[in-house]
Amino acid sequence: MLDYFFWLLLIIAFVMEAWALIDALTVPQGAYAAASKQSKKLWMIILIVAAVVGGAYAAVPYALGVHPIALLLNILPVAAFIAGAVYLADVRPAVAPFKKRGGGRGKTNMGPYGPW
């Protein structure tokens, strides 16, 4: 029963890492520089590696029958979780004002100098 709990933790960590990666894809490249954060290219590399590691470690207990607690205590899934957490807690709020809202469709109520 405890194995299922730790497997669920691995799955939750993978979902968080995938969410960070998808969110980073939607941010314009200039937003990172404007928010004084590392470049988008670096964050994409970090988050892609984190998502791949998280996905692999979430699938291994189910596919190979390995105990999830042994995988959860390794350094790689912990580092992947930390990378996703740092992006979501620090970088995402900093670059959020620079994201395009509404996807560029419809009426935006934006004048040449801002909203009106």
Side-chain angles (χ1 to χ4, degrees):
M1 184 66 178
L2 196 58
D3 284 346
Y4 291 117
F5 173 73
F6 289 114
W7 186 44
L8 181 65
L9 286 179
L10 287 169
I11 291 172
I12 291 170
F14 169 66
V15 168
M16 189 204 64
E17 294 151 6
W19 174 33
L21 176 62
I22 291 169
D23 185 74
L25 286 170
T26 63
V27 177
Q29 187 169 359
Y32 293 91
S36 298
K37 300 297 177 186
Q38 296 293 329
S39 68
K40 181 175 183 171
K41 184 177 180 180
L42 179 64
W43 274 110
M44 293 307 300
I45 291 169
I46 291 170
L47 293 174
I48 287 171
V49 169
V52 168
V53 167
Y57 274 85
V60 165
Y62 180 72
L64 300 178
V66 179
H67 291 288
I69 186 65
L71 296 174
L72 194 61
L73 294 178
N74 284 335
I75 191 70
L76 288 178
V78 173
F81 177 80
I82 290 172
V86 166
Y87 177 83
L88 290 174
D90 182 43
V91 179
R92 185 174 186 254
V95 297
F98 302 101
K99 288 176 78 171
K100 294 182 181 178
R101 307 237 185 251
R105 59 185 184 269
K107 190 175 176 182
T108 61
N109 291 334
M110 291 293 288
Y113 303 109
W116 51 274

